[in-house]
Amino acid sequence: VNGLQARTFGVWTLLSSVIRCLCAIDIRNKTLYYITLFTFFLALVHFLSEVFIYHTAALTIGVMAPLMVASFSILGMLIGLQYLEVEALSQNKKKN
């Protein structure tokens, strides 16, 4: 890893964390919710590709931790998405 790669990865991590914090503040914003969900998919694909395709990382705790966080976050957000859709439908019924 050179300095440029480290800084790029750091900025990517910072951007992902800002998006995730904004989603936590405004969780009913569906566009932001989908963008946040995509950041977890992107992280999962990135780490899986580094381990299984490029072989630049080993399955150590340092790699397993982000894989587990991304996996559980995707699962939780997909479950939460169903509740957001039900809530949106019930709000539309109240307006009509």
Side-chain angles (χ1 to χ4, degrees):
V1 175
N2 62 32
L4 175 62
Q5 290 171 322
R7 288 187 297 276
T8 302
F9 188 74
V11 169
W12 173 65
T13 303
L14 180 63
L15 177 61
S16 294
S17 65
V18 167
I19 291 170
R20 293 167 186 170
C21 287
L22 290 173
C23 182
I25 292 169
D26 186 13
I27 198 159
R28 289 180 176 85
N29 184 337
K30 278 189 126 178
T31 304
L32 189 55
Y33 196 89
Y34 283 120
I35 292 170
T36 304
L37 183 58
F38 180 72
T39 65
F40 286 114
F41 275 116
L42 192 61
L44 183 66
V45 169
H46 168 73
F47 283 102
L48 286 174
S49 68
E50 292 297 329
V51 172
F52 295 111
I53 296 172
Y54 302 114
H55 304 288
T56 54
L59 275 177
T60 61
I61 191 68
V63 174
M64 289 297 292
L67 286 173
M68 291 181 357
V69 168
S71 299
F72 290 131
S73 297
I74 289 169
L75 181 63
M77 288 191 76
L78 289 174
I79 292 168
L81 185 61
Q82 294 173 350
Y83 290 104
L84 287 178
E85 290 173 355
V86 168
E87 183 180 321
L89 288 174
S90 66
Q91 286 179 355
N92 285 339
K93 287 182 182 179
K94 287 180 184 178
K95 288 180 183 179
N96 295 331

